[in-house]
Amino acid sequence: MTFHILADMPAEPDFDRLRAEFPVLRRKTYLNSGSYCALANDVKAAFEQYMEDRLLVGANWDVWVMKNEAVRELTAQLLNAKPEEIAVTASVSAGINALASALTFNGPRNKVVISDFEFPTNAQIWHAQEPRGAKVVHVPIAADGYIPLENFERVIDENTQLVAITHVCFRNGAKLDIPAIVKLAHARGAKVLLDSYQAAGTVDIDVKKLDVDFCVGGMLKYLLGTAGIGFLYVRESLINSLLPTHSGWFAQENITAMDITANRPAHTARRFEAGTPPVVNCYASEAGLKILLGIGTPAIEKRVEMLTRRCMERLAEIGWPSITPTQAERRGATIATPARDASGLSKELMDRDIVTSWRDKNLRASWHFYNNDQDIEAFIGAMKSLRDRYAPQ
Ligand SMILES: Cc1ncc(COP(=O)(O)O)c(C=O)c1O
């Protein structure tokens, strides 16, 4: 399948042309990519291709496996990893569970450090290990709403086995200082799991440069794919020392051996997979990842930084505060603004064809490369007209 969107792409991305490939943007101001992305024509075509293949070929196991491998390879490119270091999973939760099943917590290093910025799944799964001996400790948020390195310094110690942290917080769009936290964790003998779901696709992630040991993410949000598919990166040198008890036939060294006498896990990160791949989701995610890689994540990161900065500046001009950090290095793609009734505000914006979301007492506007200045002005115009009823007093 050839991808229409990337044909004749100039060296500098033409964001107006790219925007035209997302039909919903003709009808809506779409600021909800932190929940799920706008659908690209190429991703829609990939879903249709799946249907065609099912109708014309019926069951084509080889193509199915090939699609899973395509997602593995593209994810590896996205993260600057090797394909052998990537497990294609059904969700972030599936990846974290498989990893947790390979860890033991009965020695002195039984501590798992998470932050108070975590998405629930990356907290609940670690708390679920408590009956197995894990001691889960939270790094608290400081008075200014951020979690500085000092707070991690106080909690990560010689008993810490794993620091499991989000890259960008789903609630307020704050980005943690990952390189500094990784350095600190490694100096104290702990491994680091990065939950990149709110960053991958808008932040240029290089797992080698960041030096993380594990990284999870999913394809539904900024990776332009769909629900029901994600990934787990495992540093190559760690793979064979970890034996997941969460397993299945697609995790075996030889998938087609059909051996029911033993568990023989793959010698690659595929040992963290389980059953039949999420095939239709692989078609869609392959298309989404190709779009992102065709543009290049450094260019996307630059554009998203510009859009989020302008959005915050314009909000400040109309007197509406944001809780998202203003410094570029502390900010992801989401701008969160407090409101008297965030759910009501999001509904009113939807009535004006502006798609946002909300968490706690804050409205979330999430930006991607396909957004532009018109979207900022449409959002600010609507927020201004709703200010008297919804802005915090
Ligand atoms: C940071 C983060 N991690 C994890 C998830 C959920 O992961 P999954 O539903 O794939 O398990 C989300 C959002 O859905 C998220 O924002």
Side-chain angles (χ1 to χ4, degrees):
M1 185 174 171
T2 53
F3 289 92
H4 170 70
I5 196 169
L6 298 174
D8 307 319
M9 176 77 88
E12 276 296 302
D14 178 348
F15 286 109
D16 289 336
R17 208 190 92 189
L18 289 162
R19 180 179 166 91
E21 295 291 337
F22 293 80
V24 71
L25 304 180
R26 276 175 234 143
R27 294 192 302 275
K28 309 265 185 210
T29 300
Y30 195 86
L31 306 178
N32 199 23
S33 308
S35 295
Y36 49 94
C37 58
L39 181 69
N41 285 328
D42 279 348
V43 177
K44 179 169 173 276
F47 278 118
E48 287 160 357
Q49 183 68 53
Y50 169 77
M51 295 311 293
E52 278 290 298
D53 289 352
R54 288 286 281 129
L55 285 170
L56 297 179
V57 192
N60 191 339
W61 200 248
D62 291 344
V63 172
W64 283 17
V65 171
M66 231 174 61
K67 288 288 173 190
N68 203 36
E69 291 312 309
V71 172
R72 189 189 315 285
E73 265 172 43
L74 293 166
T75 305
Q77 277 180 47
L78 183 83
L79 302 176
N80 188 30
K82 292 183 184 171
E84 297 76 24
E85 295 175 304
I86 304 293
V88 180
T89 60
S91 61
V92 158
S93 305
I96 301 176
N97 270 307
L99 174 64
S101 83
L103 304 179
T104 52
F105 303 99
N106 36 28
R109 264 200 197 267
N110 64 344
K111 194 163 151 183
V112 178
V113 171
I114 64 173
S115 81
D116 277 343
F117 276 172
E118 296 318 307
F119 186 83
T121 216
N122 191 37
Q124 292 153 350
I125 295 171
W126 297 112
H127 281 293
Q129 310 310 311
E130 285 165 340
R132 299 177 59 219
K135 185 166 177 267
V136 181
V137 184
H138 290 234
V139 180
I141 300 170
D144 66 354
Y146 190 67
I147 311 184
L149 185 63
E150 303 88 85
N151 290 17
F152 286 90
E153 269 166 353
R154 274 187 225 113
V155 178
I156 300 171
D157 58 19
E158 69 285 356
N159 297 123
T160 306
Q161 177 173 174
L162 185 72
V163 178
I165 42 167
T166 194
H167 203 158
V168 171
C169 176
F170 78 107
R171 291 179 196 280
N172 63 7
K175 182 159 75 177
L176 289 174
D177 185 355
I178 302 302
I181 299 167
V182 172
K183 209 168 152 207
L184 169 71
H186 286 170
R188 296 186 181 171
K191 304 273 187 291
V192 178
L193 162 66
L194 182 66
D195 177 355
S196 73
Y197 213 151
Q198 288 292 334
T202 58
V203 173
D204 183 40
I205 297 178
D206 180 329
V207 287
K208 304 293 172 200
K209 263 198 212 142
L210 288 176
D211 203 23
V212 292
D213 303 284
F214 314 103
C215 177
V216 283
M219 311 305 188
L220 172 65
K221 305 176 192 292
Y222 301 104
L223 295 184
L224 308 179
T226 190
I229 181 163
F231 61 83
L232 164 67
Y233 156 81
V234 181
R235 186 199 288 280
E236 190 173 30
S237 59
L238 295 174
I239 294 172
N240 284 307
S241 64
L242 295 166
L243 189 60
T245 59
H246 202 284
S247 190
W249 65 307
F250 267 76
Q252 303 296 301
E253 180 67 15
N254 180 358
I255 298 169
T256 54
M258 301 293 176
D259 177 6
I260 61 169
T261 65
N263 172 38
R264 293 194 176 84
H267 288 94
T268 64
R270 199 164 50 71
R271 62 172 51 199
F272 294 91
E273 294 182 14
T276 307
V279 181
V280 62
N281 305 333
C282 290
Y283 275 70
S285 301
E286 178 189 19
L289 287 164
K290 282 191 173 163
I291 295 169
L292 285 169
L293 291 167
I295 304 167
T297 44
I300 296 174
E301 180 171 333
K302 208 166 126 201
R303 180 168 174 86
V304 170
E305 194 284 311
M306 179 271 287
L307 289 167
T308 50
R309 178 168 31 83
R310 275 196 208 155
C311 172
M312 289 182 90
E313 284 166 4
R314 296 287 286 121
L315 279 167
E317 277 167 33
I318 65 163
W320 204 315
S322 308
I323 59 160
T324 308
T326 46
Q327 306 95 304
E329 68 281 6
R330 287 190 173 189
R331 193 173 75 232
T334 291
I335 302 301
T337 47
R340 265 176 267 165
D341 169 10
S343 151
L345 174 59
S346 185
K347 279 198 198 95
E348 295 249 15
L349 289 168
M350 184 63 111
D351 292 342
R352 291 160 171 78
D353 285 332
I354 300 173
V355 188
T356 58
S357 60
W358 60 279
R359 288 286 180 278
D360 313 317
K361 293 188 168 127
N362 303 303
L363 183 86
R364 297 190 311 176
S366 311
W367 302 81
H368 210 337
F369 68 82
Y370 44 63
N371 293 120
N372 64 10
D373 283 338
Q374 277 159 266
D375 292 334
I376 295 176
E377 291 317 312
F379 176 59
I380 295 299
M383 291 288 275
K384 197 169 171 189
S385 72
L386 293 162
R387 191 174 46 187
D388 290 348
R389 279 163 51 215
Y390 289 99
Q393 280 164 324

